Amino acid sequence: MLDVSDIYHTGFVVADIEQAQAEFSALFGVRWTQVEERAMPVVTPEGTREVRLRFAYSQGGEPRIELLEPVTGTAWETPQHSFGPGAAHHVGVWAPDFAATSERLVEAGFERVLTFDDGSGRASRFAYHRLPSGGIVELIDVTRKAELEAWFEGAAYPAAGTST
């Protein structure tokens, strides 16, 4: 259903992005994008809501590391189930035919637990799907790849929409 070669990042939900950046930099020697702070409408199983998200990505090529601060009541909460605090939160995958891929995952039993709310009622820009085992896969619309890769390496954050 998904191609492992389309995986491009691993996301971590962390209490303090700057501290986590310092730790990953010391360990892997990576540089970072600016920390972005964005308000965005999202759809969760409980409904639509506006959230404030802080995040950053590693620079220097794939695989990338994404750091996000927790957002209570969303898929971005601090992991507390089988993976525990500080563990990898999700794997990010470029998704061709994004909306159809998200729907296929839902039909296969991989619940969509969060997506950007563009008002259409469908998955938009990014979608988080929970595996029955507890893991999370984030689909990112591949049509945004060029602009996001430019941001990863130092361009301004893309103005058209929000992605993680």
Side-chain angles (χ1 to χ4, degrees):
M1 195 171 302
L2 298 176
D3 190 326
V4 71
S5 67
D6 289 328
I7 295 172
Y8 77 97
H9 80 267
T10 300
F12 294 85
V13 175
V14 297
D16 183 319
I17 287 179
E18 290 78 8
Q19 177 184 345
Q21 285 176 312
E23 293 167 356
F24 278 103
S25 292
L27 189 59
F28 294 111
V30 295
R31 300 175 329 275
W32 297 93
T33 63
Q34 294 274 57
V35 175
E36 292 291 330
E37 187 167 338
R38 300 285 169 182
M40 70 180 84
V42 297
V43 179
T44 72
E46 291 75 37
T48 301
R49 61 184 280 206
E50 184 86 8
V51 299
R52 188 154 238 13
L53 185 63
R54 289 188 80 228
F55 58 95
Y57 274 81
S58 63
Q59 295 180 315
E62 296 179 0
R64 296 190 188 279
I65 299 166
E66 179 187 25
L67 303 174
L68 307 104
E69 289 187 349
V71 179
T72 302
T74 72
W76 295 308
E77 288 188 281
T78 302
Q80 297 176 4
H81 301 291
S82 61
F83 301 100
H89 178 265
H90 67 271
V91 175
V93 180
W94 295 119
D97 199 9
F98 168 80
T101 300
S102 182
E103 289 303 318
R104 281 195 304 276
L105 288 178
V106 169
E107 291 167 6
F110 302 106
E111 178 188 16
R112 186 170 42 236
V113 293
L114 191 136
T115 189
F116 184 83
D117 182 19
D118 69 352
S120 71
R122 296 182 47 150
S124 178
R125 300 184 187 150
F126 59 86
Y128 287 76
H129 290 266
R130 187 174 308 280
L131 285 65
S133 63
I136 298 175
V137 171
E138 178 189 12
L139 301 179
I140 301 89
D141 192 336
V142 76
T143 63
R144 303 206 60 223
K145 184 175 182 177
E147 67 184 359
L148 288 170
E149 286 185 338
W151 171 65
F152 297 150
E153 297 308 323
Y157 188 78
T162 303
S163 180
T164 60

